């Protein structure tokens, strides 16, 4: 098994999207770079240019033609924002409750059921071919790119060459750059269409270039393994192939909540005081896609919801500030109503909610800690 996506992006699903693809769920389509922030646009960098010049010989020795190098690097450049994001990654932990509030939100479940209805014939055919549950394939699609809405639009050659030159994980990213150029050389995608996350994960289900080489499938039979296309068939098939080759067992469920019809399996309780889950070998297969218990439970639970199941039956304990999810949602609603926008009321108190709390506290002459509390909730009426 080659490196997992989690190791590649250093915990990209901690914010989902879970971004897939950064630590939040990025929300830009992957077509052109017109919507990119300024720090993800190429800037002159003599060191990067010298590195690219020396790289050409190494690439040629690995079978990459001059014409591929020329097309691959046409318009490419050093992206300072990629280095900033790579260096500023922090270990970010969410409770399972918060993670599932994002991974299996009402919006994601609704979109997932609609996406499944649109692509059900393909998903069912993939289940028959690879043995992987169709709803699991759909759920991974949902977590990785919000069902194709958030694939990322950063040029992969620029991103991987910037990170290879930067050197913190230089050998790894040079390997990804070589793989990306080989994908271009094979004719699967043109350099201008090869876009993805800031770290180079690509397409509907966010494959890194080496994973693409190992597992990508031309399901549509057009001669190209196009995981970027508006048609997600190749990407969904590639994900099914990935799971099949990493231990998925046909006819076995991923697991389920204990006491709610879960299959026999090992019992885990990821969040103390919260629901327990019985998990099977297929839970571990999902973790080969992203080595996180929360991710695998998120995929499994979202898959169940897409298939018609209801929310978890068990409850989670109050958080460290003594607030339940209902309390946190009430706090968000009341802050927004008071003019301090939290950007929704999902019960997950992220940076936007913390900023709103701080602004409210400042408006009342209180220390702007950004920390929620029962007292704060009561003060909002």
């Amino acid at each position: 098994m080659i490196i997992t996506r989690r190791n590649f992006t250093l915990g990209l699903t901690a914010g989902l999207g879970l971004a897939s693809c950064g630590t939040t769920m990025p929300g830009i389509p992957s077509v052109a770079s017109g919507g990119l922030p300024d720090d993800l646009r190429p800037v002159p960098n003599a060191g990067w240019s010298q590195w690219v010049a020396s790289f050409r010989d190494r690439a040629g020795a690995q079978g990459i033609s001059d014409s591929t190098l020329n097309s691959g690097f046409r318009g490419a450049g050093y992206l300072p924002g990629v280095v900033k994001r790579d260096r500023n990654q922090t270990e970010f932990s969410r409770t399972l409750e918060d993670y599932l509030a994002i991974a299996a939100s009402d919006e994601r479940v609704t979109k997932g059921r609609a996406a499944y209805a649109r692509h059900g014939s393909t998903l069912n055919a993939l289940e028959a071919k690879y043995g992987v549950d169709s709803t699991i394939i759909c759920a991974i699609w949902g977590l990785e790119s919000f069902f194709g809405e958030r694939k990322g639009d950063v040029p992969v050659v620029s991103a991987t060459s910037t990170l290879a030159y930067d050197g913190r994980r230089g050998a790894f990213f040079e390997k990804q750059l070589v793989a990306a150029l080989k994908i271009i050389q094979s004719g699967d995608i043109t350099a201008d269409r090869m876009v993805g996350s800031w770290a180079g994960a690509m397409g509907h289900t966010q494959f890194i270039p080496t994973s693409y080489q190992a597992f990508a499938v031309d399901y549509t039979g057009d001669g190209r393994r196009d995981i970027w296309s508006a048609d997600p068939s190749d990407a969904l098939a590639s994900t099914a192939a990935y799971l099949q080759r990493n231990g998925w067992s046909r006819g076995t469920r991923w697991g389920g909540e204990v006491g709610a019809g879960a299959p026999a399996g090992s019992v885990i309780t990821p969040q103390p005081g919260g629901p327990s889950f019985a998990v099977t070998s297929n839970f571990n297969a999902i973790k080969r896609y992203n080595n996180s218990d929360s991710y695998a439970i998120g995929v499994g639970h979202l898959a169940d919801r897409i298939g018609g199941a209801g929310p978890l039956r068990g409850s989670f304990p109050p958080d460290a500030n003594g607030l339940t999810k209902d309390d946190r949602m009430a706090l968000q609603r009341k802050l927004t109503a008071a003019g301090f926008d939290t950007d929704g009321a999902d019960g997950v108190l992220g940076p936007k909610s913390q900023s709103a709390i701080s602004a409210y506290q400042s408006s009342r002459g209180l220390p702007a800690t950004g920390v929620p509390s029962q007292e704060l909730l009561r003060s909002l009426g």
Side-chain angles (χ1 to χ4, degrees):
M1 166 60 187
I2 56 182
I3 192 163
T4 65
R5 289 185 53 268
R6 180 174 176 80
N7 291 335
F8 176 63
T9 56
L10 296 185
L12 119 99
T13 58
L16 276 144
L18 275 157
S20 171
C21 303
T23 50
T24 61
M25 293 180 219
I28 35 182
S30 68
V31 180
S33 60
L36 287 172
D38 287 343
D39 68 352
L40 290 177
R41 296 175 183 273
V43 299
N45 184 293
W48 176 85
S49 296
Q50 292 170 1
W51 183 92
V52 171
S54 67
F55 167 74
R56 292 179 72 97
D57 288 338
R58 298 193 299 277
Q62 297 183 67
I64 297 173
S65 68
D66 286 342
S67 62
T68 297
L69 285 163
N70 291 337
S71 64
F73 279 95
R74 186 176 298 119
Y78 178 82
L79 307 180
V82 164
V83 175
K84 180 177 72 174
R85 286 160 177 77
D86 184 56
R87 290 180 178 172
N88 289 347
Q89 290 185 109
T90 57
E91 287 299 321
F92 185 83
S93 61
R94 290 192 186 276
T95 64
L96 179 64
E97 181 180 28
D98 278 359
Y99 192 94
L100 292 179
I102 300 170
S105 66
D106 289 344
E107 181 184 16
R108 200 178 300 265
V109 170
T110 298
K111 284 183 176 290
R113 289 173 177 171
Y116 191 94
R118 289 194 306 273
H119 300 282
S121 60
T122 297
L123 289 163
N124 287 322
L126 292 174
E127 179 172 337
K129 180 178 177 65
Y130 293 101
V132 180
D133 289 359
S134 57
T135 54
I136 291 287
I137 302 168
C138 191
I140 288 177
W141 183 26
L143 290 195
E144 295 302 334
S145 70
F146 214 56
F147 308 102
E149 293 183 15
R150 302 172 181 177
K151 300 191 291 289
D153 63 354
V154 179
V156 171
V157 170
S158 290
T160 53
S161 62
T162 295
L163 290 167
Y165 159 68
D166 178 59
R168 190 173 77 84
R169 292 181 285 166
F172 172 74
F173 279 105
E174 181 166 328
K175 183 178 180 181
Q176 299 307 318
L177 173 59
V178 169
L181 291 166
K182 287 184 176 179
I183 294 166
I184 294 169
Q185 186 162 283
S186 73
D188 281 313
I189 192 76
T190 57
D192 62 307
R193 286 192 61 230
M194 181 182 270
V195 292
S197 75
W198 64 262
M202 311 179 298
H204 286 269
T205 51
Q206 295 292 281
F207 271 40
I208 61 173
T210 50
S211 290
Y212 176 101
Q213 285 187 306
F215 301 106
V217 171
D218 173 21
Y219 183 74
T220 61
D222 65 356
R224 295 181 299 115
R225 299 172 294 171
D226 191 351
I227 64 174
W228 301 265
S229 170
D231 177 357
S233 298
D234 283 0
L236 299 177
S238 299
T239 296
Y242 187 110
L243 291 173
Q244 180 202 48
R245 290 174 58 185
N246 281 282
W248 187 273
S249 177
R250 183 187 293 266
T252 300
R253 292 171 56 193
W254 72 271
E257 184 181 7
V258 171
S266 302
V267 175
I268 61 173
T269 307
Q271 182 174 340
S276 295
F277 301 85
V279 299
T280 71
S281 61
N282 283 343
F283 178 81
N284 295 323
I286 297 170
K287 288 180 65 176
R288 298 301 295 271
Y289 207 87
N290 186 304
N291 189 26
S292 159
D293 283 352
S294 290
Y295 178 85
I297 292 171
V299 167
H301 181 52
L302 178 59
D304 292 344
R305 296 297 313 276
I306 289 171
L312 295 177
R313 297 183 183 182
S315 60
F316 290 89
D319 63 20
N321 298 304
L323 299 174
T324 65
K325 181 180 178 181
D326 286 344
D327 292 334
R328 296 190 296 272
M329 292 172 66
L331 179 63
Q332 289 171 316
R333 287 193 297 268
K334 291 181 178 183
L335 282 166
T336 298
F340 303 93
D341 184 23
T342 62
D343 195 25
D346 58 4
V348 181
L349 302 183
K352 185 76 172 180
S353 293
Q354 292 167 4
S355 295
I357 291 170
S358 292
Y360 172 77
Q361 290 169 327
S362 294
S363 75
R364 301 291 295 269
L366 301 170
T369 64
V371 177
S373 66
Q374 287 286 355
E375 181 180 4
L376 179 68
L377 179 59
R378 287 192 293 271
S379 75
L380 283 158

